[in-house]
Amino acid sequence: MVVGSGAREHALAWALAKSADVVVTPGNAGMAAHGLTCVTTPATELEADLFVIGPDQPVVDGLADVLRAQNKTVVGPGADGARLEGSKAFMKEFLTAAGVPTAAYGVFDNESAALEFLSAMKPPYVIKTDGLAAGKGVLVTRDLDEARVDVREKLSGEVFGGAGTTVVIEEGLDGEECSLFILCDGTNALCLAPSQDFKRVGDHDEGPNTGGMGAYAPMAAISVQQLDEIWRLVISPTLSELKRRDIDYRGVLYAGLMVSRSGTKLLEYNVRFGDPETQVLAPLYGDGLYDLLLAVGEGHLGDTTLTPSGAAVTVILAAEGYPIRPRTGDLIHGLGPDGQLAEPLENVIVFHAGTARNEQGQFVTNGGRVVAVTGLGADVAEARRRAYEGAALVTFEGSVRRSDIALVASKGAQ
Ligand code: AMP
Ligand code: GLY
């Protein structure tokens, strides 16, 4: 049973369906067209051997606790562990206690104290909403005036409602971003291949932060030595701190890292799979994913290891106006009745996020991120070529996409 309705859940369900019968709640039009069973019944009213919770909100709201109380096997931490994502202020306090390297920071709910702290920082200025904000609660800017306005707006609570009346102001970090997914079964942990997400809406990392505009894996720029160091300095102390706090973490711990020559720092933890990173990782792990996730839920991850072969790249096609005010209802061209490419290309998969069917049964846009087009190949260059060939076949009015996803990595020159 997969909970959620985005391209991440489409990718998870598609990979799990290689080994099991899968039901998605609520799913979306594209998943249903792709042969996946979608139901509107809530997860708490369904029976399944394994529950995988995709999005952040239900994890933070404690869905895993409710399901476990019903004796179900779940991938996803309880509300206690989920605070790592639910509150950035809590996460920073946790990291300090665990001794995990992270950006220097201050937490404020008072405007004058926040502005005073800000003026003592060096650019770039980093301002974060404390609570969940769909990847859009972070401003990184070199412009002090813009930063000041952002602090005022976030503290006013007008932009992010209840999620936004506390801000975290951070030291700006430089380096290469890496998403590392650690599967935890409460005792053992193992990490999936490192991947990279492209967060800004525009090419060359310009424009506002989004939920993510594309991704690739594996990220060869992260060496085995760096991974060892990340494990030693970031992951191990985190697992010990979880234990010390009596948090039985069974799920995916998503480490958002900034890797640089001067060392690695943790930007943030999330408590679930990434979107769009899952649209590259799920195809890479393919039919091995079910056993891995079952081992997470059942608590016997210890003897499982699996290294994927090949590479994957995904390109997000977003609606006009994303991430600020996405337009919906535009007809999508280039998809067949199964929601995949009308003219199929080998090793290209379309994962649906914000799509719906109109009265004539045609696919139309229905959200900010519309589809993720994933290409698979022997290496990043081949996977990238396929992803972009596929993405070029899917068109709709005003579509927004980056042209530089995995470009540097595909040249092997990071
Ligand atoms: P977060 O939601 O905390 O991961 O932040 C979203 C994005 O903002 C990250 O993926 C980075 O691209 C950027 N970011 C967050 N914190 C910092 C920081 N301290 N320095 C530089 N960039 C950051
Ligand atoms: N890829 C960013 C996220 O899932 O939060």
Side-chain angles (χ1 to χ4, degrees):
M1 169 101 236
V2 174
V3 179
S5 63
R8 164 185 46 209
E9 290 75 30
H10 188 171
L12 287 170
W14 171 86
L16 294 171
K18 293 177 181 294
S19 323
D21 293 326
V22 177
V23 175
V24 190
T25 177
N28 63 35
M31 295 189 215
H34 206 187
L36 294 161
T37 305
C38 299
V39 298
T40 51
T41 320
T44 48
E45 291 172 25
L46 289 157
E47 290 303 324
D49 299 319
L50 179 66
F51 288 76
V52 181
I53 310 172
D56 47 17
Q57 191 74 56
V59 184
V60 170
D61 291 345
L63 177 59
D65 296 316
V66 178
L67 293 172
R68 287 199 179 96
Q70 298 175 331
N71 276 324
K72 288 166 175 166
T73 303
V74 187
V75 175
D80 53 358
R83 286 184 74 202
L84 281 175
E85 177 162 7
S87 163
K88 288 191 191 285
F90 171 80
M91 173 189 64
K92 295 295 271 189
E93 181 270 316
F94 181 103
L95 296 179
T96 307
V100 171
T102 186
Y105 73 105
V107 179
F108 304 93
D109 51 19
N110 168 287
E111 185 177 305
S112 58
L115 293 178
E116 192 180 326
F117 183 84
L118 186 66
S119 51
M121 301 290 281
K122 284 191 285 219
Y125 307 100
V126 180
I127 300 152
K128 302 185 175 184
T129 298
D130 180 50
L132 295 182
K136 295 158 215 153
V138 178
L139 175 75
V140 182
T141 180
R142 301 199 143 265
D143 180 340
L144 182 58
D145 286 334
E146 190 189 1
R148 295 170 70 91
V149 169
D150 191 64
V151 166
R152 283 201 195 95
E153 268 180 17
K154 281 181 176 149
L155 283 178
S156 75
E158 279 160 26
V159 189
F160 293 106
T165 48
T166 300
V167 292
V168 175
I169 301 179
E170 272 185 22
E171 159 200 18
L173 299 176
D174 267 334
E176 191 78 49
E177 274 189 62
C178 170
S179 303
L180 200 61
F181 297 90
I182 299 109
L183 304 183
C184 304
D185 73 357
T187 308
N188 306 298
L190 82 87
C191 76
L192 302 183
S195 57
Q196 190 167 46
D197 174 17
F198 293 73
K199 294 249 166 69
R200 301 281 189 137
V201 74
D203 281 0
H204 316 296
D205 291 333
E206 279 170 14
N209 266 320
T210 69
M213 294 299 291
Y216 72 91
M219 186 177 173
I222 305 295
S223 65
V224 174
Q225 288 88 327
Q226 278 169 317
L227 270 180
D228 283 349
E229 190 185 281
I230 292 167
W231 199 268
R232 193 164 45 80
L233 299 179
V234 178
I235 311 304
S236 270
T238 298
L239 298 175
S240 306
E241 183 67 16
L242 285 168
K243 227 174 208 109
R244 196 181 69 75
R245 295 185 186 217
D246 233 358
I247 297 175
D248 180 26
Y249 197 104
R250 291 186 187 211
V252 181
L253 181 66
Y254 165 165
L257 300 158
M258 191 69 98
V259 182
S260 75
R261 282 209 190 89
S262 59
T264 298
K265 288 192 176 173
L266 187 89
L267 287 177
E268 63 162 352
Y269 275 130
N270 295 314
V271 297
R272 42 142 187 113
F273 278 113
D275 186 344
E277 293 95 324
T278 304
Q279 291 90 299
V280 292
L281 290 170
L284 286 179
Y285 286 88
D287 59 10
L289 194 68
Y290 180 75
D291 283 342
L292 274 176
L293 295 187
L294 192 65
V296 168
E298 289 183 342
H300 58 77
L301 196 54
D303 46 8
T304 325
T305 48
L306 192 65
T307 314
S309 64
V313 173
T314 198
V315 178
I316 297 287
L317 310 187
E320 180 173 319
Y322 181 73
I324 296 159
R325 207 172 301 109
R327 190 175 78 190
T328 59
D330 286 305
L331 195 59
I332 306 171
H333 303 276
L335 299 178
D338 63 352
Q340 297 300 296
L341 295 177
E343 295 170 41
L345 289 176
E346 207 182 335
N347 289 315
V348 175
I349 315 158
V350 181
F351 294 119
H352 286 236
T355 68
R357 303 260 213 173
N358 65 13
E359 279 171 13
Q360 291 78 45
Q362 299 159 307
F363 285 104
V364 294
T365 62
N366 189 38
R369 293 189 288 182
V370 177
V371 292
V373 183
T374 297
L376 301 168
D379 54 26
V380 172
E382 189 181 32
R384 178 173 196 276
R385 184 173 53 70
R386 291 203 167 116
Y388 274 103
E389 275 172 15
L393 298 174
V394 183
T395 54
F396 51 88
E397 191 71 33
S399 115
V400 174
R401 64 191 73 186
R402 279 183 65 158
S403 68
D404 62 348
I405 303 300
L407 179 61
V408 177
S410 71
K411 295 178 177 156
Q414 281 198 60

